[in-house]
Amino acid sequence: MNIEKAILAVITTNRGKIAGGAPIFLCETKQELELIAANLEAIMDGIAHALSEELFIIVKH
């Protein structure tokens, strides 16, 4: 089985707006949020998408 589309990770600075089955990474600052998103994007071979200033997701297309 080959997964073609999926949310691989959620990265946020707002603990109150998240829940779910994907791995969740909590950050203290916007700078940390952007750094973690960029690193996870490369590590997971996915694409980072900013859904708001405090929420990124890493997806596999």
Side-chain angles (χ1 to χ4, degrees), residues 4 7 9-10 12 17 19 21-22 29 31 39 44 48 52 60-61:
E4 293 185 23
I7 296 175
V10 177
T12 187
K17 290 196 173 192
T29 66
Q31 181 181 4
N39 284 326
M44 296 177 147
S52 72
K60 179 177 175 93
H61 288 286

Side-chain angles (χ1 to χ4, degrees), residues 6-47:
I7 296 175
L8 303 176
V10 177
I11 308 103
T12 187
T13 57
N14 188 339
R15 182 183 305 261
K17 290 196 173 192
I18 55 165
I24 298 168
F25 296 83
L26 297 171
C27 300
E28 297 293 325
T29 66
K30 184 177 179 189
Q31 181 181 4
E32 181 185 16
L33 174 77
E34 292 171 352
L35 177 64
I36 296 296
N39 284 326
L40 286 175
E41 178 180 43
I43 292 166
M44 296 177 147
D45 194 27
I47 304 295

Side-chain angles (χ1 to χ4, degrees), residues 9-11 33-34 37 48-58:
V10 177
I11 308 103
L33 174 77
E34 292 171 352
H49 294 279
L51 300 182
S52 72
E53 287 190 14
E54 57 190 22
L55 179 66
F56 277 75
I57 59 171
I58 308 295

